[in-house]
Amino acid sequence: MTKRTHMVTFLGLATACAIIFSYVEMLLPPIWQAVPGVKVGLANVVVIYLLYKVSFKSAFAVSMVRIFIMSLLFGNVMILSYSIAGAVLSLSVMALLKKTGLFSTMGVSIAGGVMHNVGQILMAIIWLGTKEIGYYLIILAVTGTLAGIAVGIAAALLLKYTKKLKFNA
Amino acid sequence: MNNIPSKKRYLNDLILVGAIALIVAIAFAVFALTMREGKSVTVSVDGKIKHTYSLSDEVDKTIEVEGGSNHLVIKGGKAYIESATCPDKICANHRPISKDGETIVCLPNRVVVAVSGD
């Protein structure tokens, strides 16, 4: 198998995985009834794994495809815009932090979780035109951190146990 | 990263979380300490203000939007949403607001009820 075929197949599987994680998360009952929108962001385990294992481009591609498919199947234009805003901001910051080499996978994931929420709130402010929605960020910073810790640990474990998998991207 | 992160990396993670917590704490303190009683209530749909009332008014009105509605009540100096057609009902479960800057948002219906100081 050529390197390219290997890459294409692997990313295809990764995308399918991300979609399934996202779907399962949709089926689970809300983690916190007070704020129903709070999610763990399980699909990001795949995204962070790809960021570390393969490349930023592949992580970005898989993330976008996952978002488009989920929004197409289960969402609408607004949900699509919120997801894209969150994902783009979160992935950019995570890639930057990873590049500095100063943080562990968990730290990068925590930053990703918080920035994802920041991105979504910014989108909400754009859609609804009021800056007061920013107050939600106080709670979302906490849930984003907690989600980041969980996702970060999962991604780190995955990376640890798949050391034999190699990509010369 | 191929190895278990060094203690230094974990320390940096902690500093990162600390920085986030600090920003949140400062934001919370600023916001809690500068809350004043509000004077008026604005209702916007899709980012455009549709109605303005005074907090001292008695209002009982259903805000109609495309595909749904929110039932707004202003009584006793507080504003709240009695009921709504949205699927999550976060707006309806929100406690009544009365301070400048407080808002009740209904994302599905794109409705924002905001209290302002003037």
Side-chain angles (χ1 to χ4, degrees):
Chain A
M1 198 191 308
T2 61
K3 271 188 222 158
R4 188 168 188 170
T5 314
H6 187 203
M7 183 71 86
V8 169
T9 345
F10 186 71
L11 290 185
L13 277 176
T15 311
C17 217
I19 292 173
I20 290 175
F21 282 178
S22 194
Y23 180 65
V24 167
E25 205 173 35
M26 229 178 67
L27 296 178
L28 295 174
I31 342 171
W32 192 17
Q33 337 89 294
V35 191
V38 165
K39 291 195 299 194
V40 176
L42 282 182
N44 292 306
V45 175
V46 176
V47 175
I48 293 177
Y49 179 79
L50 289 177
L51 180 65
Y52 275 89
K53 195 75 171 171
V54 187
S55 68
F56 167 75
K57 275 205 287 186
S58 59
F60 186 75
V62 169
S63 178
M64 289 296 121
V65 173
R66 188 269 297 199
I67 287 174
F68 267 95
I69 292 190
M70 289 306 284
S71 298
L72 214 64
L73 290 175
F74 306 107
N76 52 50
V77 176
M78 282 188 70
I79 289 183
L80 179 66
S81 69
Y82 285 123
S83 296
I84 291 184
V88 168
L89 193 56
S90 141
L91 195 52
S92 317
V93 170
M94 285 201 287
L96 282 170
L97 289 186
K98 167 178 177 271
K99 203 143 194 196
T100 69
L102 291 171
F103 304 95
S104 75
T105 316
M106 201 168 66
V108 166
S109 175
I110 288 174
V114 175
M115 291 316 288
H116 179 95
N117 288 340
V118 170
Q120 298 207 302
I121 291 284
L122 286 177
M123 208 67 213
I125 292 181
I126 292 177
W127 276 116
L128 300 172
T130 73
K131 53 175 171 42
E132 278 86 7
I133 302 178
Y135 294 134
Y136 280 114
L137 269 177
I138 293 177
I139 303 221
L140 294 183
V142 176
T143 60
T145 303
L146 293 174
I149 291 176
V151 169
I153 292 179
L157 285 174
L158 210 53
L159 285 163
K160 177 177 171 195
Y161 289 115
T162 58
K163 288 222 189 100
K164 293 234 180 92
L165 201 54
K166 292 209 197 307
F167 291 97
N168 308 321
Chain B
M1 280 187 315
N2 293 319
N3 354 316
I4 296 180
S6 61
K7 292 211 176 80
K8 181 141 176 267
R9 283 213 171 102
Y10 282 134
L11 183 64
N12 287 333
D13 290 349
L14 206 59
I15 295 176
L16 178 67
V17 174
I20 294 175
L22 191 64
I23 295 177
V24 168
I26 292 178
F28 183 72
V30 165
F31 141 75
L33 292 174
T34 59
M35 293 281 263
R36 300 156 296 181
E37 279 299 327
K39 291 222 187 77
S40 56
V41 179
T42 50
V43 179
S44 18
V45 179
D46 264 326
K48 300 190 203 59
I49 298 183
K50 289 279 151 75
H51 313 278
T52 311
Y53 308 99
S54 160
L55 255 184
S56 48
D57 288 343
E58 295 267 319
V59 175
D60 190 314
K61 181 179 169 61
T62 304
I63 304 161
E64 303 280 352
V65 298
E66 209 178 295
S69 63
N70 300 77
H71 182 188
L72 170 73
V73 173
I74 304 181
K75 199 166 146 176
K78 291 187 199 280
Y80 57 95
I81 292 185
E82 175 78 42
S83 59
T85 58
C86 57
D88 49 50
K89 315 275 188 237
I90 301 177
C91 52
N93 290 331
H94 200 292
R95 71 175 153 74
I97 55 176
S98 58
K99 301 257 194 314
D100 180 18
E102 279 196 294
T103 57
I104 300 180
V105 177
C106 182
L107 273 178
N109 288 345
R110 296 175 321 278
V111 169
V112 177
V113 178
V115 175
S116 99
D118 38 39

